[in-house]
Amino acid sequence: MEKTWRWFGKKDKITLDMLRQIGVEGIVTALHDVPNGEIWTEEAINDLKKYIESYGLRWSVVESLPVCEAIKYAGPERDQLIENYKVSLANLGKCGVKTICYNFMPVIDWIRTDLQHPWADGTSSLYFDRVRFAYFDLRILGRKGAEKDYSPEELAKVAELDKTITEAEKDDLIDTIIVKTQGFVNGNIKEGDKNPVNIFKKLLALYEGIDRDALRENMRYFLSAIMPVCEEYGVNMCVHPDDPPFQVLGLPRIVTNEEDTAWFLNAVDNPHNGLTFCAGSLSAGEHNDTRDLAKKFAKRTHFVHLRSTAAMPGGNFIESSHLEGRGHLIDLIRTFEKENPGLPMRVDHGRMMLGDEDKGYNPGYSFHGRMLALAQVEGMMAVIQDEINN
């Protein structure tokens, strides 16, 4: 597997020099300054590609070339946005950047309620608290009909939380759920936006009447339109699983499990239509066994995220160490090395460790925590490669 690292451009405090020194081979990045829906020009792509190559690295994966909301909910501008997307894909292919990670999650990308949940050893990691998320949904967002999505026990816990939660904690929930985790790269809401809750409500309203079947059909429409370009330029599309892999905020989520994955791969049955196998996102759902999923979908996987989560009581989950949790990373590496060797992989998130305070450019992305994970993964890969060779 190719060792890659998500890098957020020239403003990232983690420099390409630092990455080269720790054994990174490929870079995962994007043209983050280009607004969603606009064309990525050959000039801009080549400029960043040459900059990366000047450090002895290569631009291995685009993460992400964002799919605009109007494509997902089939707005009137959908076809023009898809045409722009096709031009950007062609330009990437011409420049030799041929693996594109994207997602098809409506409105909201990855969801956490705490970006620095403490562990006993002094490290911290991302955390999802279902009751606090329910509080945001019910009491802050005030989504109509939201109470139907929660059990009586959860509703009772929300009522108890309402008696003690402070205004500062409410503001922190808003900032964590719909600003920091969404706005740090090409997001619908960005830090500094006024009334983010109102903006978020308007985005949710765009999906009224869009159920799972409708969103699936919109994904099929998008993939069918872009596949000829992918075939012409040898570009591989790989969708990221929904994070977390279950329905939230009344929105349909359609890449959550084995059945969902089989559906979109079969709906547009083309080898350029594939999966980003994110072990962390998939393992956050107790219905998923990452080991089984890897065996079933290794051949249609184009990119791997090596991270792991630990499920906790009450629907909560936490970012785990890379050698623990439900990700089963050792087994995954063994499967991918045998079934689809050479895939780009990147270690993701992990623990925020001492010294990460001044190096994290984006929420949840450690330097030392990921560097430790990279060393652990290198060790796993060496052992597994010996197994294969012998």
Side-chain angles (χ1 to χ4, degrees):
M1 302 176 86
E2 180 190 27
K3 296 172 289 184
T4 71
W5 190 284
R6 193 171 190 188
W7 176 70
F8 296 98
K10 297 175 184 178
K11 297 178 183 177
D12 198 327
K13 295 177 183 177
I14 301 171
T15 68
L16 295 180
D17 256 340
M18 294 163 67
L19 298 182
R20 181 175 56 181
Q21 290 175 41
I22 63 173
V24 169
E25 298 163 333
I27 295 300
V28 178
T29 193
L31 298 183
H32 295 305
D33 293 333
V34 178
N36 290 2
E38 293 192 9
I39 290 171
W40 289 19
T41 65
E42 285 187 68
E43 180 182 12
I45 295 165
N46 268 324
D47 178 69
L48 184 58
K49 182 171 179 279
K50 289 176 181 176
Y51 180 80
I52 292 168
E53 289 172 347
S54 73
Y55 286 84
L57 301 164
R58 82 178 191 102
W59 187 354
S60 301
V61 180
V62 172
E63 186 174 352
S64 300
L65 179 58
V67 179
C68 292
E69 296 298 328
I71 295 175
K72 298 173 188 175
Y73 64 77
E77 64 271 49
R78 168 173 69 168
D79 287 339
Q80 182 57 59
L81 289 168
I82 290 177
E83 287 304 310
N84 290 357
Y85 203 98
K86 288 161 66 176
V87 174
S88 295
L89 283 179
N91 289 341
L92 284 162
K94 291 173 187 176
C95 296
V97 185
K98 300 194 175 189
T99 301
I100 317 297
C101 173
Y102 71 104
N103 78 70
F104 218 79
M105 290 178 259
V107 180
I108 191 164
D109 197 334
W110 56 289
I111 302 173
R112 302 295 186 272
T113 56
D114 189 348
L115 301 178
Q116 295 185 344
H117 191 81
W119 287 75
D121 63 2
T123 62
S124 66
S125 64
L126 304 173
Y127 183 68
F128 178 86
D129 184 302
R130 183 166 171 81
V131 170
R132 285 189 170 263
F133 182 75
Y135 186 92
F136 167 81
D137 191 8
L138 292 157
R139 301 300 175 96
I140 296 176
L141 194 60
R143 181 171 62 88
K144 184 179 179 181
E147 64 279 355
K148 297 176 184 177
D149 293 346
Y150 302 99
S151 68
E153 292 79 12
E154 289 168 338
L155 294 174
K157 289 178 181 178
V158 167
E160 285 299 310
L161 178 60
D162 192 44
K163 297 175 184 177
T164 59
I165 193 169
T166 65
E167 291 302 314
E169 288 176 306
K170 294 177 188 178
D171 290 342
D172 187 59
L173 270 181
I174 295 168
D175 193 47
T176 298
I177 294 172
I178 62 172
V179 180
K180 278 195 170 68
T181 55
Q182 307 307 308
F184 77 108
V185 177
N186 299 106
N188 292 318
I189 299 174
K190 295 178 173 60
E191 292 195 59
D193 285 343
K194 295 182 180 180
N195 300 315
V197 172
N198 289 338
I199 296 172
F200 193 70
K201 286 180 178 180
K202 290 177 182 177
L203 290 167
L204 288 178
L206 295 170
Y207 285 86
E208 289 183 8
I210 304 293
D211 60 12
R212 277 174 57 81
D213 289 340
L215 189 62
R216 277 182 163 184
E217 190 53 43
N218 294 343
M219 186 180 190
R220 187 209 305 264
Y221 185 93
F222 166 71
L223 288 171
S224 297
I226 66 171
M227 278 301 113
V229 176
C230 293
E231 289 181 333
E232 182 175 357
Y233 294 99
V235 171
N236 289 326
M237 297 292 294
C238 42
V239 71
H240 190 288
D242 300 334
D243 186 4
F246 45 76
Q247 312 309 302
V248 293
L249 301 172
L251 295 166
R253 306 195 106 182
I254 58 172
V255 191
T256 65
N257 57 24
E258 178 183 345
E259 189 267 338
D260 284 348
T261 304
W263 182 87
F264 84 79
L265 292 175
N266 292 328
V268 181
D269 191 8
N270 186 303
H272 296 286
N273 171 31
L275 175 68
T276 294
F277 196 100
C278 180
S281 299
L282 292 167
S283 64
E286 292 193 80
H287 53 280
N288 289 325
D289 186 320
T290 59
R291 296 161 295 188
D292 288 343
L293 294 173
K295 291 173 184 175
K296 287 182 171 73
F297 300 116
K299 296 295 188 184
R300 292 288 289 273
T301 294
H302 298 311
F303 182 33
V304 179
H305 287 181
L306 291 178
R307 44 178 282 256
S308 183
T309 56
M312 306 175 77
N316 302 344
F317 63 87
I318 192 166
E319 201 76 23
S320 179
S321 117
H322 289 74
L323 297 179
E324 299 173 348
R326 302 187 67 253
H328 301 292
L329 301 192
I330 295 174
D331 292 328
L332 297 192
I333 293 170
R334 185 175 285 112
T335 295
F336 287 118
E337 286 287 83
K338 288 180 179 178
E339 300 295 330
N340 199 349
L343 285 177
M345 72 80 188
R346 70 174 177 88
V347 294
D348 205 357
H349 295 314
R351 307 276 189 92
M352 296 291 285
M353 302 176 70
L354 185 64
D356 276 330
E357 298 85 356
D358 63 347
K359 290 185 174 62
Y361 179 60
N362 293 305
Y365 284 90
S366 65
F367 175 61
H368 294 109
R370 282 189 287 167
M371 185 169 65
L372 172 62
L374 183 63
Q376 291 171 330
V377 166
E378 283 183 309
M380 296 183 222
M381 288 169 58
V383 171
I384 290 166
Q385 198 57 54
D386 282 344
E387 290 178 4
I388 295 171
N389 292 338
N390 295 325

